[in-house]
């Protein structure tokens, strides 16, 4: 039997914001789903390490006061989440995470901050990311690709409000199942092969998005915030980026995300800048948007 017919382990986090390096866990869930077995779920609420902004509360519905009242100490929650994932991975389950680089990076940083042994130092899970799989099998489809959008497109279950950790974790598992059911060539890959394929696909997808931003007037600098790593941004990469935080281009170069060959002289700014390079050799400065022919 292929991995497609066996249980999945789903993980979802709801957080205090959108920065995986600095924000904290508010709620979380680890679920066992599929394989002809009843769904089993374990949810958590954590005492927030920081004030939950109104924008985040509007997304998941948890205020600082409510989380403080109902939550458990964050170090214990992070330790329990990692222990639950380790247990499932050691049983042979693939780990399903929607937009894995956000959740897994945030979980890693929370563990390091709170003195908990990180997941990456305990097991190396085979990760399945419905966001990456969806983009690979249907890359030219127009429209947004949030979890709710993917559930609608793939007719997957969203048995409750979006941004409920347990609901989202189950939905992500259902999405992976349905994507692979329709595209059976995915089932013929082993989990190891599929994991490595997603590393490549995610890098290509993110690089393409970075290039799109770099070429879009008014959005050039947004390209600097697009990471290429999957399924997690390694702590060493984050440290290199942080060291050069004042200069995003230098940070990307130090982290190995921009090759030196992508730096070229910008005649408008009269200095060497990072450039997006097109297939025909044309170059567009990420700083000012000035475009030159490839031989200039």
């Amino acid at each position: 039997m292929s991995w497609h017919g066996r249980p999945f382990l789903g993980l979802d986090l709801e957080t205090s914001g959108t920065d995986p390096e600095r924000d904290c866990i508010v709620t979380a869930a680890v679920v066992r789903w599929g394989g002809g077995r009843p769904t089993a779920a374990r949810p958590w609420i954590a005492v927030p390490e920081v004030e939950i902004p109104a924008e985040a509360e509007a997304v998941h519905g948890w205020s600082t006061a409510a989380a403080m009242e109902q939550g458990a100490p964050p170090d214990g929650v992070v330790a329990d989440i990692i222990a639950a994932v380790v247990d499932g991975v050691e049983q042979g389950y693939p780990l399903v995470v929607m937009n894995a680089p956000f959740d897994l990076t945030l979980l890693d940083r929370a563990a390091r901050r709170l003195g908990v042994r990180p997941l990456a130092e305990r097991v190396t899970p085979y990760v399945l990311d419905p966001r990456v799989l969806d983009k690979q099998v249907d890359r030219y489809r127009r429209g947004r690709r949030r979890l709710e959008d993917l559930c609608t497109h793939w007719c997957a279950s969203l048995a409750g409000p979006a941004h409920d950790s347990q609901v989202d974790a189950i939905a992500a598992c259902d999405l992976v199942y349905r994507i692979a059911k329709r595209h059976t060539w995915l089932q013929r890959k082993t989990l190891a092969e599929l994991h490595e394929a997603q590393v490549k696909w995610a890098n290509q997808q993110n690089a393409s998005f970075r290039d799109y931003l770099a070429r879009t007037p008014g959005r050039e600098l947004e390209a600097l915030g697009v990471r290429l790593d999957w399924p997690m941004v390694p702590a060493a990469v984050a440290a290199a980026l942080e060291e050069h935080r004042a200069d995003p281009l230098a940070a990307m170069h130090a982290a190995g995300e921009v090759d030196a060959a992508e730096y070229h002289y910008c005649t408008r700014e009269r200095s060497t800048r990072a450039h997006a390079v097109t297939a025909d050799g044309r170059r567009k400065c990420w700083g000012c948007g000035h475009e030159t022919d490839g031989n200039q």
Side-chain angles (χ1 to χ4, degrees), residues 80-144:
D80 286 350
I81 295 169
I82 291 175
V85 172
V86 169
D87 181 62
V89 171
E90 289 180 342
Q91 293 184 59
Y93 303 152
L95 180 61
V96 176
V97 192
M98 173 72 180
N99 191 17
F102 179 81
D103 283 27
L104 294 184
T105 300
L106 191 144
L107 180 62
D108 180 84
R109 304 307 187 262
R112 295 173 189 277
R113 187 170 61 245
L114 295 167
V116 177
R117 189 181 178 195
L119 178 66
E121 295 181 6
R122 299 187 59 180
V123 291
T124 303
Y126 294 130
V127 179
L128 300 172
D129 188 336
R131 185 170 182 264
V132 174
L133 295 174
D134 170 74
K135 284 187 175 182
Q136 182 64 24
V137 301
D138 199 357
R139 66 185 68 181
Y140 300 115
R141 187 177 78 249
R142 293 180 178 271
R144 305 182 71 174

Side-chain angles (χ1 to χ4, degrees), residues 144-198:
R144 305 182 71 174
R145 300 195 189 221
R146 301 169 303 174
L147 182 69
E148 307 96 294
D149 304 314
L150 297 191
C151 286
T152 298
H153 178 77
W154 293 99
C155 300
S157 64
L158 195 60
H163 302 292
D164 174 290
S165 296
Q166 185 170 318
V167 169
D168 287 2
I170 291 172
C173 291
D174 194 21
L175 275 171
V176 168
Y177 179 84
R178 289 172 184 269
I179 292 170
K181 185 176 182 180
R182 187 176 304 179
H183 297 272
T184 55
W185 61 272
L186 293 170
Q187 300 178 37
R188 292 193 290 272
K189 290 183 177 291
T190 67
L191 286 172
E193 291 169 342
L194 191 51
H195 180 99
E196 288 306 310
Q198 287 171 100

Side-chain angles (χ1 to χ4, degrees), residues 27 36 45 51 53 55 82 131 137 139 170 172 187 219 247 252 262 273 283:
T27 68
I45 305 167
E51 193 80 13
E55 296 83 358
I82 291 175
R131 185 170 182 264
V137 301
R139 66 185 68 181
I170 291 172
Q187 300 178 37
R219 302 192 69 182
D247 186 345
M252 292 168 65
E262 294 184 73
R273 298 283 185 173
R283 297 170 179 146

Side-chain angles (χ1 to χ4, degrees), residues 22 32-33 35 41-42 48 70 116 124 146 155 159 233 237 246 270 296:
R22 293 173 177 79
R32 189 197 66 227
W33 181 94
R42 186 174 179 189
Q70 301 181 50
V116 177
T124 303
R146 301 169 303 174
C155 300
V233 178
V237 170
R270 297 184 179 181
Q296 295 185 24

